Amino acid sequence: GGGGGGGECGRLGGPSGWAAERVQASLGEGWDYTTRLEPGSPPVQLTGEMVYSWMGDDYAWLRPLKPAAELLAAKEDWGPLYDAVALGRGGAKVAALVSFEDIYVERAFSEATGALLGDRASLWITNEFQHSGLRDQPALVFDRLLAMSKGELAIPS
């Protein structure tokens, strides 16, 4: 999944080793949605944009990619994903749609990334779209973001 603010993803020092799968297993019953269906129960834990080791077997279209996925899960020499200093001194103006209650990306991570970019970043924080906003209404979203990045449209959040 995407993070944005760097967090732990910015400090990788070893193999991912199917990290999402390991975290899910460590939660035991806390991950079992059937234990969370009664009113007042804790929320169901969702995953998105994760790849699990079993997917290379279960999904026919992923089978050819399984060897590559295994190599990536075992890779130990990852560098930092984000260079905060380089991002902070970049010159490009950017605009981003940030879904207020995105089910995949914590809004605070997106806001922290925007803050890191400073005045060069325009964030459109809205509940008008979810994570799939660009796919759902590509022309509207792209046109608005492009205009924001050029300073032609005030930030609508």
Side-chain angles (χ1 to χ4, degrees):
E8 288 302 313
C9 291
R11 294 188 290 277
L12 290 175
S16 66
W18 305 107
E21 193 168 326
R22 287 185 289 111
V23 168
Q24 184 177 2
S26 76
L27 296 174
E29 192 174 282
W31 198 263
D32 180 2
Y33 78 92
T34 63
T35 67
R36 296 167 176 252
L37 299 178
E38 296 299 320
S41 296
V44 173
Q45 301 293 317
L46 300 175
T47 63
E49 301 181 345
M50 301 297 161
V51 177
Y52 297 94
S53 64
W54 51 265
M55 290 177 167
D57 297 319
D58 282 12
Y59 298 109
W61 57 92
L62 292 179
R63 286 186 192 128
L65 300 174
K66 184 176 179 177
E70 293 287 350
L71 286 171
L72 290 171
K75 181 176 169 57
E76 295 190 29
D77 58 347
W78 293 104
L81 292 178
Y82 306 104
D83 182 337
V85 174
L87 285 171
R89 69 173 173 243
K93 293 187 177 208
V94 299
L97 184 149
V98 177
S99 297
F100 191 81
E101 296 176 308
D102 194 308
I103 64 171
Y104 298 117
V105 180
E106 290 288 336
R107 179 175 31 90
F109 296 162
S110 297
E111 291 175 325
T113 302
L116 180 68
L117 298 173
D119 292 340
R120 296 180 296 117
S122 297
L123 301 182
W124 171 19
I125 302 171
T126 181
N127 263 344
E128 186 176 350
F129 299 99
Q130 282 299 315
H131 193 76
S132 59
L134 188 57
R135 181 177 54 231
D136 295 341
Q137 293 190 34
L140 183 137
V141 171
F142 183 78
D143 289 348
R144 187 171 289 177
L145 291 174
L146 183 60
M148 288 170 60
S149 72
K150 293 178 175 181
E152 299 169 355
L153 179 66
I155 302 169
S157 56

